[in-house]
Amino acid sequence: MLLTFEHSFVGSSDIQYDYCCNIYDNLLGDDKFVGYCKYYKEYFLHNQVYIEFIFIKHDYRHKGYATAMVEELQNKYELLWDGRFTREGREWYEKLVKKGVVIPY
């Protein structure tokens, strides 16, 4: 993997700023886009963000791209978790905790 993360501001609401981050694997040739993450920062938080969701294209799942996205956000911000997960998301989060990638919320 040779990853590039492209962050962009996508808008705001009464309580938060919304961002998107596209994930590209530059070793894949023409189809470099593997997925994206939507995350947000509440107005009163300074350098803290929450992940709303991560989408990885089907063919690229279970290859470490979502984990790399978490690490990218942790390098830029303090990453907070609100505990709202899908079933699959909870399993993935628990694996991140077990591996020591994230500290439990």
Side-chain angles (χ1 to χ4, degrees), residues 4-105:
T4 301
F5 299 94
E6 184 180 276
H7 296 264
S8 59
F9 175 73
V10 294
S12 62
S13 67
D14 291 337
I15 60 170
Q16 69 190 35
Y17 298 108
D18 297 315
Y19 300 89
C20 182
C21 182
N22 291 333
I23 308 164
Y24 300 94
D25 188 338
N26 298 304
L27 297 179
L28 294 177
D30 291 337
D31 188 21
K32 296 176 185 178
F33 177 79
V34 295
Y36 67 96
C37 173
K38 185 166 182 291
Y39 63 99
Y40 64 93
K41 180 179 118 175
E42 294 175 345
Y43 285 145
F44 60 88
L45 297 177
H46 297 286
N47 199 38
Q48 301 163 314
V49 298
Y50 292 91
I51 293 174
E52 190 169 329
F53 65 86
I54 296 177
F55 171 78
I56 303 298
K57 291 168 72 174
H58 184 69
D59 290 346
Y60 303 114
R61 293 181 184 172
H62 306 286
K63 298 185 187 224
Y65 293 109
T67 301
M69 181 71 248
V70 166
E71 291 168 340
E72 165 72 5
L73 288 175
Q74 289 182 144
N75 286 333
K76 293 178 75 64
Y77 306 102
E78 179 184 352
L79 181 57
L80 304 175
W81 301 89
D82 63 11
R84 295 182 291 171
F85 297 101
T86 62
R87 183 182 53 77
E88 296 86 0
R90 167 117 3 239
E91 291 170 4
W92 170 73
Y93 172 80
E94 289 172 359
K95 288 177 187 174
L96 292 178
V97 170
K98 198 179 239 185
K99 292 178 186 176
V101 175
V102 299
I103 298 169
Y105 61 91

